[in-house]
Amino acid sequence: MPVYYSSIIDEHLTVRNSVGVFDVSHMGEIFITGKNALDFIQMITTNDASKLTVGKVQYSAMCYEDGGIVDDLLVYRLDNGFMLVVNASNKDKDYEWMLKNKIDDVNIEDKSDDYSLLAVQGPRSADVLNNIVDFNLSELKYYTYKMGKIVGIDAIISRTGYTGELGYEIYFLGDESIAQKVWDAIFENGIDYNIKPIGLGARDSLRLEMGYCLYGNDIDQSTNPLEAGLGWITKLQKENFIGKDSISKIKEKGLSRKLLGFELLDKGIPRHGYEIYVDDRKIGYVTSGMQSPSLNKAIGLGYFEYDSVNKNSIFEIDVRGKRLKARLTDVPFVKK
Amino acid sequence: MTFPVDLKYTKDHEWLRVENNIGIIGITDYAQSELGDIVFVDINKNLSDIKKGETFGTIEAVKTVSDLFSPVSGKIIEINSDLESNAEVINKDPYGNGWIIKIEILDVSEINELLDAEAYKALIGQ
C-alpha cells in the first residue's frame, strides 16, 4: 500500500465526499476456535466478548500484565469461534502473545497470508457494493457482518472501517487473481462516483480526524487503555483478563496523563514526538498531528499531564524550536 | 517530471534560477512529488544574510516536514507571499509560481558548484 496514489488531500476528500478503496490485505487475521475459545478471548482482550453474538463485531485491545497495550483489534464472533483482526505491524508479536497465553482446547491459526481485505469507505460505498454483493447492505448495522458473496466469491462483509464514514470491510480467500477480480468489480461499479484507490497517508488523516488511535503513535506498550481514552473497551467488571489488576490499580490511583485532542492557533503543523509546554514546564507530547484536510486547520492528539490544562487554557507546542499556541478541542475533530 | 536545463540544482532538491545577480530559489518537481500535498511554507523572516547550505525555512506537507537549504550565499530580498495562503502552488508549478525566495547572490562562483539538470537527474535516478 503506497502512502498515496494521487494525493493525500484528494484521496481524503474522496472518501469524505464519495467513496474510496483501501487494500489493507496486510492486516492480520487470526482465528480462534475450540471449546474454550470464548474463555481464551475473554482472558486476552479487555472488552467483554461474551456480549457478542454471531454476526457481531467488537473493538477491543490486548494488554500486558502491567496494563501496557499489546495491540488494538477487532473481534468477530463467528459460528465456530472468533476472528481477530490485528495491526499489520503487530501480527507476529500478537500471534506469539496468543500462543504464550494459550489455554487447553483452543486452536489459534494465523491466516493473515490467506486473506485479502479491501475496505470500501465513503457515503457512496453501499451504492457501489449493492450491485455486486448478494444481499442488501442496508440490512447491515454498524459493527455487524454477514457471510455473503461478492462477484460470486465467498466473503465476510462487515460494516466497519477506520474513516468515520459509512463503509465496509470485505475479507476473502484466494490468490491474486481473485483479489484482482473483486478489486476490478468494485472499481467498475464505482465509476459513476469517481471511486479511487486510497493510500496510507489518507488512511492516517481520516482516522485522525475521527480521533481514532493508531498503534505505534497514540498507543503502545508504554500506554494504558484508560489514559488513551479506551476505558469504554476496558471492562474492569469482567471476571478476569490479562492486565486487569494493573489497570484497576491505575484507575484507583488516578491517571497521571490523558490523551486529548488539540488544535493549533498559530500557523504550523504538530507532529509525533513534539513537546507540549505551559510556560516553561513540559506537560506532554504530541502523538499524532497534521493539517486536517476537512477542517483546513492543524489538529493533533497528545498526552497531557493530568489536570495540567483545561478547555480555556492556551498552551504551546514546540514545533522545531518554535513555540506555537494551541488549545484543547473536542474529539472527534470532524463531527459525523 | 521535468527538470529545466536553464536551472541549477542542489542535492537537497532545491533549484536556482539566475537572473543577473539575482537568484530565484524553489524546490524541484521531484521534491514536491516526494513530499506530496504541501500545506504550509515557513520562511525564517529574521534571516537576511544567508550562507550556502544554510536553512532558510521549512516546508510542511500533509505527511512530512522538510528543511529548505539555500543553494548559494546572499541576501534574501523577497519571499513569495502567495505561498502564505496557497502553498499547494508548489505542487502544481514548482519552477514557476511555486518559487519560494529571491536572493541577491554574494559570490557568483558558488553557482558553478551546483548540479546541472543532467547531474541532478542522475542523482535522483531519473
Side-chain angles (χ1 to χ4, degrees):
Chain A
M1 196 179 187
V3 173
Y4 62 87
Y5 293 88
S6 55
S7 118
I8 294 175
I9 294 174
D10 176 57
E11 291 166 24
H12 181 108
L13 297 176
T14 295
V15 173
R16 284 272 178 264
N17 299 324
S18 185
V19 56
V21 185
F22 304 76
D23 177 1
V24 278
S25 299
H26 56 284
M27 300 280 290
E29 292 87 11
I30 298 172
F31 288 76
I32 311 296
T33 52
K35 193 160 62 85
N36 290 331
L38 176 61
D39 289 345
F40 176 67
I41 299 285
Q42 289 292 67
M43 182 57 70
I44 61 163
T45 65
T46 58
N47 209 334
D48 185 358
S50 71
K51 296 274 195 309
L52 285 174
T53 51
V54 175
K56 286 193 171 157
V57 189
Q58 184 180 69
Y59 181 54
S60 193
M62 294 193 293
C63 285
Y64 295 102
E65 286 292 356
D66 69 356
I69 299 172
V70 180
D71 202 1
D72 63 334
L73 69 160
L74 291 182
V75 179
Y76 285 71
R77 183 72 170 103
L78 309 176
D79 55 8
N80 67 337
F82 297 86
M83 174 173 77
L84 306 181
V85 182
V86 303
N87 282 300
S89 54
N90 289 338
K91 64 186 173 194
D92 294 339
K93 176 187 83 175
D94 291 351
Y95 181 63
E96 293 298 319
W97 179 251
M98 290 174 203
L99 288 183
K100 194 180 159 206
N101 291 287
K102 186 180 153 348
I103 55 174
D104 288 344
D105 291 317
V106 168
N107 301 308
I108 305 170
E109 274 178 287
D110 180 359
K111 295 191 185 172
S112 304
D113 292 341
D114 304 334
Y115 272 89
S116 294
L117 170 55
L118 298 178
V120 183
Q121 302 278 308
R124 307 315 291 265
S125 53
D127 300 322
V128 171
L129 293 174
N130 262 328
N131 295 324
I132 45 175
V133 167
D134 68 342
F135 63 92
N136 189 344
L137 285 170
S138 62
E139 296 165 18
L140 217 50
K141 292 198 177 73
Y142 194 45
Y143 269 71
T144 67
Y145 76 90
K146 255 186 112 156
M147 298 291 206
K149 281 186 195 298
I150 180 162
V151 285
I153 294 156
D154 289 326
I156 298 170
I157 299 166
S158 80
R159 208 184 126 193
T160 48
Y162 198 40
T163 62
E165 297 298 333
L166 174 67
Y168 302 88
E169 293 182 302
I170 304 161
Y171 303 81
F172 54 95
L173 291 166
D175 60 17
E176 222 168 279
S177 70
I178 303 282
Q180 190 69 49
K181 187 179 167 189
V182 175
W183 176 272
D184 290 345
I186 292 169
F187 277 81
E188 275 160 32
N189 281 277
I191 291 173
D192 291 349
Y193 308 111
N194 200 17
I195 196 167
K196 287 178 184 165
I198 312 296
L200 279 176
R203 185 167 169 79
D204 188 37
S205 58
L206 288 158
R207 71 90 195 168
L208 181 52
E209 283 187 344
M210 300 311 298
Y212 299 156
C213 287
L214 172 63
Y215 195 92
N217 272 42
D218 313 298
I219 51 174
D220 60 30
Q221 184 165 1
S222 72
T223 64
N224 68 63
L226 300 183
E227 63 192 13
L230 299 177
W232 63 281
I233 61 163
T234 309
K235 299 293 155 68
L236 294 172
Q237 65 276 27
K238 199 167 80 170
E239 195 179 337
N240 199 13
F241 63 85
I242 300 170
K244 181 184 166 185
D245 290 348
S246 301
I247 297 168
S248 300
K249 280 193 191 105
I250 291 164
K251 189 173 184 184
E252 220 168 276
K253 224 177 96 193
L255 297 179
S256 61
R257 59 181 186 173
K258 191 92 181 60
L259 188 69
L260 299 170
F262 64 87
E263 63 182 26
L264 280 196
L265 302 171
D266 292 328
K267 215 167 173 186
I269 297 180
R271 298 192 189 271
H272 181 79
Y274 289 3
E275 295 179 340
I276 305 170
Y277 289 86
V278 168
D279 300 321
D280 281 330
R281 199 166 70 86
K282 186 185 159 194
I283 56 149
Y285 65 96
V286 176
T287 56
S288 291
M290 63 160 183
Q291 179 81 4
S292 157
S294 303
L295 305 170
N296 260 317
K297 65 183 180 189
I299 58 168
L301 293 172
Y303 280 104
F304 292 76
E305 202 177 277
Y306 205 77
D307 267 350
S308 59
V309 288
N310 62 45
K311 67 178 175 32
N312 299 317
S313 310
I314 303 290
F315 47 90
E316 292 178 328
I317 315 275
D318 188 322
V319 176
R320 299 158 69 86
K322 253 187 172 171
R323 292 287 181 86
L324 302 184
K325 290 192 166 46
R327 69 172 172 215
L328 295 182
T329 179
D330 289 338
V331 175
F333 300 97
V334 172
K335 308 287 177 275
K336 287 271 119 195
Chain B
M1 229 176 264
T2 61
F3 304 97
V5 291
D6 59 324
L7 304 184
K8 292 289 192 178
Y9 300 86
T10 71
K11 60 173 177 37
D12 301 309
H13 314 291
E14 288 87 13
W15 55 261
L16 174 78
R17 175 179 288 123
V18 182
E19 292 174 354
N20 299 315
N21 68 329
I22 303 300
I24 305 168
I25 294 166
I27 64 163
T28 67
D29 203 1
Y30 175 76
Q32 71 77 19
S33 102
E34 286 291 299
L35 285 167
D37 293 304
I38 292 163
V39 288
F40 178 52
V41 181
D42 185 21
I43 306 300
N44 184 348
K45 295 200 170 67
N46 300 322
L47 267 184
S48 163
D49 294 315
I50 187 166
K51 289 194 192 68
K52 176 187 165 83
E54 198 178 346
T55 306
F56 63 88
T58 55
I59 193 157
E60 298 264 11
V62 174
K63 199 71 195 155
T64 186
V65 57
S66 176
D67 281 322
L68 293 163
F69 301 97
S70 185
V72 288
S73 307
K75 185 189 179 78
I76 298 177
I77 53 171
E78 196 178 339
I79 295 170
N80 184 355
S81 56
D82 288 349
L83 300 181
E84 269 177 40
S85 56
N86 189 24
E88 70 267 23
V89 71
I90 297 175
N91 292 118
K92 292 180 192 132
D93 189 11
Y95 303 113
N97 293 328
W99 67 275
I100 300 171
I101 57 167
K102 288 184 185 174
I103 74 170
E104 215 172 83
I105 300 171
L106 188 69
D107 178 0
V108 291
S109 73
E110 283 181 353
I111 298 167
N112 298 325
E113 297 164 19
L114 299 170
L115 307 173
D116 62 17
E118 281 311 306
Y120 180 69
K121 273 157 75 175
L123 175 83
I124 58 172
Q126 293 273 317

